[in-house]
Amino acid sequence: MKLEVITLFPEMVEQIVAWGVVGRAAKNGLLEFGTRNPRDYATDVHRSVDGRPYGGGPGMVMQPEPLAACIRDVRRTLPQAKVLYLSPQGRVLDQAYAAELAALPELVLLCGRYEGVDERLVTCEVDAEISIGDYVLSGGEPAAMVVVDALARLLDGALGHRESAQQDSFSDGLLDCPHFTRPEVWEEQAIPAVLKSGDHKAIAAWRRQQSLGRTAERRPELLEQLKLNRQDQRLLDDYLSQRGVDQND
Ligand code: 4GX
């Protein structure tokens, strides 16, 4: 996948390919990552990219010309690319959306600073807006890094067998189960006995039950999206009754 981020702070966003799983995907050529600075497309001596808002008010707005020139230049090398603008007005990222993006051959992420970008630029050059959640950042860059991280790890071959994306939280719409490592007893707390039983079926059932139970307790709206089979329903009922919660609640 070819991915380009348009940003006034390229060094910030480039950190996303410096480390870890995303860095490895880039090194191995699964992810061809680049950044582009709209300031390089400004035409005045001050290389300005922002202006005061029409109608007044605080802050500045990113001007359309340098951004349009920048996007059109990117489109020459990535002719199939979807251009997504990071903004709280966009479709909120979730695991299914990340998977959709990971399936694209080319993607451009546009980061805004200041109060946002001139709306005419959004109308003409942006295919969709994307949000990472209902809170306000000071710029699109951290959001772009989140998007890149979430989709890069889904690229074919990005994760080792042991890290497989099939075991992730949300890949089946549920939260993850708890994890434990050595020591077996830490500060008077032993690990759940089943994990030492060697009974792989019992371990898988316990993990599934923990995922179901934790999702029911912490994110009931996620569980409502799912139709549980009889086995899962039974695991969940047992989990909730062990905790003294009325199953009909
Ligand atoms: N998920 N931001 C964009 C600039 C801006 C201001 C006003 C449109 C209108 C964000 C988020 C986010 C902060 C990025 C404001 N754009 N991006 N920036 N939440 O908060 O993606």
Side-chain angles (χ1 to χ4, degrees):
M1 170 180 215
K2 297 181 183 180
L3 198 156
E4 195 111 344
V5 179
I6 297 175
T7 168
L8 291 170
F9 302 114
E11 298 95 330
M12 181 176 177
V13 177
E14 276 153 14
Q15 287 303 307
I16 198 66
V17 288
W19 311 95
V21 168
V22 184
R24 196 175 60 202
K27 274 204 186 72
N28 294 342
L30 306 175
L31 178 68
E32 286 184 43
F33 179 86
T35 55
R36 214 171 273 245
N37 193 335
R39 202 172 288 286
D40 296 336
Y41 295 83
T43 51
D44 66 321
V45 285
H46 304 292
R47 301 215 298 160
S48 47
V49 290
D50 60 330
R52 291 159 58 202
Y54 275 112
M60 300 293 272
V61 177
M62 288 179 81
Q63 293 177 295
E65 301 102 315
L67 284 173
C70 184
I71 293 170
R72 287 167 189 162
D73 203 23
V74 176
R75 282 196 205 275
R76 277 196 275 278
T77 48
L78 305 181
Q80 311 185 71
K82 267 209 187 325
V83 176
L84 300 185
Y85 173 46
L86 283 307
S87 117
Q89 282 74 47
R91 172 179 166 193
V92 177
L93 183 68
D94 61 12
Q95 193 61 23
Y97 194 10
E100 279 177 39
L101 297 178
L104 298 174
E106 299 173 350
L107 184 64
V108 173
L109 298 176
L110 170 61
C111 301
R113 280 273 151 180
Y114 318 116
E115 304 312 306
V117 315
D118 189 301
E119 190 65 23
R120 294 166 297 181
L121 183 281
V122 179
T123 306
C124 290
E125 296 293 343
V126 168
D127 295 303
E129 295 181 47
I130 179 171
S131 169
I132 63 160
D134 295 338
Y135 39 81
V136 182
L137 303 170
S138 56
E141 287 80 6
M145 294 167 80
V146 166
V147 173
V148 173
D149 188 296
L151 70 83
R153 60 190 298 288
L154 295 178
L155 297 175
D156 255 340
L159 297 179
H161 180 61
R162 296 186 158 273
E163 316 166 294
S164 158
Q166 285 176 8
Q167 292 178 28
D168 284 342
S169 313
F170 303 118
S171 66
D172 55 6
L174 296 174
L175 300 182
D176 204 3
C177 64
H179 302 275
F180 301 90
T181 186
R182 294 187 302 175
E184 194 182 324
V185 179
W186 179 70
E187 297 193 349
E188 278 90 64
Q189 301 174 89
I191 64 164
V194 64
L195 298 179
K196 283 206 64 193
S197 68
D199 181 344
H200 298 295
K201 276 184 134 173
I203 291 168
W206 179 84
R207 287 179 170 156
R208 183 80 187 166
Q209 183 173 51
Q210 292 290 314
S211 284
L212 289 160
R214 281 150 59 112
T215 307
E217 287 173 340
R218 301 177 190 199
R219 300 291 303 279
E221 80 282 10
L222 292 180
L223 208 55
E224 278 165 26
Q225 310 286 307
L226 303 174
K227 176 88 188 83
L228 298 187
N229 64 28
R230 295 219 311 275
Q231 200 181 347
D232 279 345
Q233 191 60 58
R234 171 91 195 273
L235 287 169
L236 178 57
D237 290 346
D238 289 350
Y239 179 100
L240 294 174
S241 58
Q242 279 163 36
R243 304 208 156 214
V245 175
D246 187 338
Q247 294 159 32
N248 298 318
D249 264 353

